[in-house]
Amino acid sequence: MELLTRKDVPEELTWDLTALYKTEADIKSDVERVSALTDKIESEYKGKLNTPENILACLDLYREWQQILWFAASYRNLAASVDYNDSKLQEDDEAMSRLCANLGSRLSFIDSEITAQPDSVIESAIAEGGPNCGYLKELLRWKPHQLEPETEKVLAALSPTFGTPYSVYNMAKLADMRFPGFNAAGEEHPLGYSLFEDKYEYDPRKEVRREAFRCFSEKLREYQNVTAAAYQSQVQKEKTMAKLRGFDSVFDYLLFGQNVTREMYDRQIDLITEKLAPHMRRYAKLIQKVHGLDKMTYADLKLPVDPGYAPELTIEDSRNYIEKGLSILGEDYVQMVRDAYSERWVDFAQNQGKSTGGFCASPYGGHSFILFSWHGGMSDVFTLAHELGHAGHFKACNSAQSIFDTNVSTYFVEAPSTMNELIMAHYLLKTSDDKRFRRWVLSNMVGNTYYHNFVTHLLEAAYQREVYKLVDAGGSVQAETLSAIMGETLSKFWGDAVELTPGAELTWMRQPHYYMGLYSYTYSAGLTVATAACRRIEREGAPAVEDWKQVLRAGSTGTPLELARMAGVDISTDKPLLETIEAIGGMIDEICTITEEL
């Protein structure tokens, strides 16, 4: 089966972007509106943001400005993300990026003038209450790191240029890399980024799986130098910004934006690397035994414990599972799930040039849009439940909060998404007493939910930390250096339980998260919160569910510590993380026990 071009994909498998704009004329109308609004804000308030009254009146217009621009930028970016081979879509997206930069540069005076005022003026504006409070509080927090107005204006104008490393990475990965098919098990197989990551890594046929890994890695290796150059530009940019804004290190700069401490960051990486590794090595050995493998290689790690018990599912099956599984969150939540399917919020299609993995975009004032590629396994159901967790989160907070209070810290933002995966798994466990079914569900939790967030992304985070240490010390990174760091990171975690086949060290080339600051570690942070909150829901029922829904509505009105506390979880200590690791170990123990019994 050849991967389709975008134009050949059935419409019902694609998302419906007309929910944002029905015609080109509509988006052009919004571009004109936001340009006129920029003129209005600039003419009425530039040089005048020295009183609480003017500050609040200006921010009222600025909120409207942000919402219009967010809609327009989302439309262009979403259209481009499903087909990097379409030059017109890429051109439109880049034009929108330039427009955002130009308008943002013109309005950079807002932050500069407000932070130039005495704290008492800003605090008086905050005391008025209303939808601008969160924005003003965040400006006060960033005030010591604010640069001169002209400098801020130039930096805002250069924002598209600052995004170039990520653009280069995506173009190399999604437009230039063309994977040839490969021959294995007596037949020819097509190969692509999504096909490899969503299908072949899980293929129970050893020859197909390992040959796919070899061919995939060979193609990656051809692009290692340009990918390393893009990443080098990214980390050096972040180092420069950290220095300009007066931070002692890149870590301090990036974590300040997340409103978390270095201790919270390091804890996630250090404890998981030390405490979880023995459990996962045992799980790898179980996979090797179940599949009768001569050796356990890096290419075998995604194998299911029981491939014969993994039914092929339709998209309609996924809807039924998710509706029932997430019903504990209430009828309004289930209705959102129904709407996501009936109104085509989701892009299920597999096609050439489409972004890999999955994401959820939630423009303020509209519904969410979810991108991923449907392959028909239970892992797809969990992925979709995960992305619907983001959709449910932002539906709740966008409805309850000002647009200024929906910028949730990345430390916390993966908690609602991973919570949905856990709720789904707990629901499935209650539907049957059959031991084989129970093992299948538990192995989905370990092999998908926890593996993805506590192993895959955690190892990315451990690698990323070493890169930033090197950059902080004045060094630079090239392909050889990055591969060495990744190889050492993987070797430290897996020990002698897993053979790192050639290509494993190139894993650093596969994730876009490195272009989003310190994002990778936040998956384990969010899942730590979700695990503790989910256990509380299992114990207490409705009161814990209501607390969780209150957290979803809170948006960014609380820090990660405060949001977790609202859900009954104290992440100021090691306890939730250690209990999560213990829970993973317990699941692996049970999987091993059931396997012996069967």
Side-chain angles (χ1 to χ4, degrees), residues 221-290:
R221 200 177 301 280
E222 293 176 15
Y223 288 82
Q224 62 180 326
N225 292 315
V226 68
T227 307
Y231 187 40
Q232 161 78 345
S233 298
Q234 174 71 19
V235 295
Q236 295 298 343
K237 172 195 74 177
E238 289 166 333
K239 172 65 176 173
T240 300
M241 291 303 300
K243 188 174 181 180
L244 278 175
R245 294 202 178 278
F247 289 94
D248 293 332
S249 72
V250 181
F251 296 103
D252 292 339
Y253 166 57
L254 296 174
L255 292 171
F256 188 84
Q258 295 178 1
N259 216 346
V260 297
T261 64
R262 179 70 185 269
E263 179 189 12
M264 292 166 70
Y265 166 73
D266 284 331
R267 176 196 297 145
Q268 289 297 128
I269 298 173
D270 293 335
L271 279 183
I272 295 174
T273 301
E274 176 191 355
K275 303 289 187 182
L276 184 62
H279 295 301
M280 294 311 300
R281 291 173 189 174
R282 190 154 47 88
Y283 186 71
K285 287 297 184 185
L286 173 66
I287 295 292
Q288 181 182 359
K289 180 180 178 182
V290 166

Side-chain angles (χ1 to χ4, degrees), residues 49 91 141 338 374 376 410 430 567:
L49 297 180
E91 183 183 321
R141 197 171 74 88
R338 294 190 188 111
W374 176 261
T410 50
K430 292 172 184 174

Side-chain angles (χ1 to χ4, degrees), residues 192-425:
Y193 235 106
S194 180
L195 277 173
F196 174 74
E197 293 188 336
D198 297 331
K199 180 180 178 183
Y200 293 126
E201 281 196 297
Y202 302 90
D203 199 303
R205 297 167 294 177
K206 180 176 73 173
E207 185 185 344
V208 173
R209 184 178 63 257
R210 291 183 179 176
E211 183 63 11
F213 184 87
R214 187 187 70 78
C215 293
F216 181 77
S217 299
E218 278 186 1
K219 180 56 67 173
L220 286 187
R221 200 177 301 280
E222 293 176 15
Y223 288 82
Q224 62 180 326
N225 292 315
V226 68
T227 307
Y231 187 40
Q232 161 78 345
S233 298
Q234 174 71 19
V235 295
Q236 295 298 343
K237 172 195 74 177
E238 289 166 333
K239 172 65 176 173
T240 300
M241 291 303 300
K243 188 174 181 180
L244 278 175
R245 294 202 178 278
F247 289 94
D248 293 332
S249 72
V250 181
F251 296 103
D252 292 339
Y253 166 57
L254 296 174
L255 292 171
F256 188 84
Q258 295 178 1
N259 216 346
V260 297
T261 64
R262 179 70 185 269
E263 179 189 12
M264 292 166 70
Y265 166 73
D266 284 331
R267 176 196 297 145
Q268 289 297 128
I269 298 173
D270 293 335
L271 279 183
I272 295 174
T273 301
E274 176 191 355
K275 303 289 187 182
L276 184 62
H279 295 301
M280 294 311 300
R281 291 173 189 174
R282 190 154 47 88
Y283 186 71
K285 287 297 184 185
L286 173 66
I287 295 292
Q288 181 182 359
K289 180 180 178 182
V290 166
H291 286 266
L293 298 174
D294 52 335
K295 57 187 176 181
M296 189 65 184
T297 76
Y298 189 75
D300 305 319
L301 283 169
K302 297 290 185 69
L303 277 172
V305 171
D306 191 349
Y309 204 76
E312 284 287 317
L313 301 172
T314 65
I315 291 173
E316 181 62 19
D317 291 333
S318 74
R319 185 183 67 79
N320 292 332
Y321 271 119
I322 293 172
E323 276 190 30
K324 292 173 184 174
L326 300 183
S327 62
I328 192 172
L329 296 175
E331 177 57 31
D332 57 337
Y333 204 98
V334 172
Q335 186 57 52
M336 180 206 71
V337 173
R338 294 190 188 111
D339 291 343
Y341 282 87
S342 65
E343 298 174 8
R344 288 172 48 212
W345 297 11
V346 186
D347 200 89
F348 292 99
Q350 295 181 49
N351 63 262
Q352 297 173 22
K354 181 179 176 179
S355 290
T356 60
F359 67 72
C360 176
S362 303
Y364 190 86
H367 66 62
S368 293
F369 293 88
I370 293 169
L371 176 145
F372 87 118
S373 298
W374 176 261
H375 292 275
M378 182 54 78
S379 61
D380 289 343
V381 179
F382 279 86
T383 298
L384 189 48
H386 176 106
E387 298 303 340
L388 285 166
H390 289 306
H393 183 191
F394 286 100
K395 182 177 186 294
C397 74
N398 288 0
S399 299
Q401 305 296 339
S402 152
I403 192 172
F404 289 155
D405 291 322
T406 60
N407 187 25
V408 181
S409 167
T410 50
Y411 184 95
F412 190 85
V413 81
E414 294 298 339
S417 53
T418 52
M419 169 66 98
N420 274 15
E421 294 188 59
L422 298 180
I423 290 174
M424 284 294 303

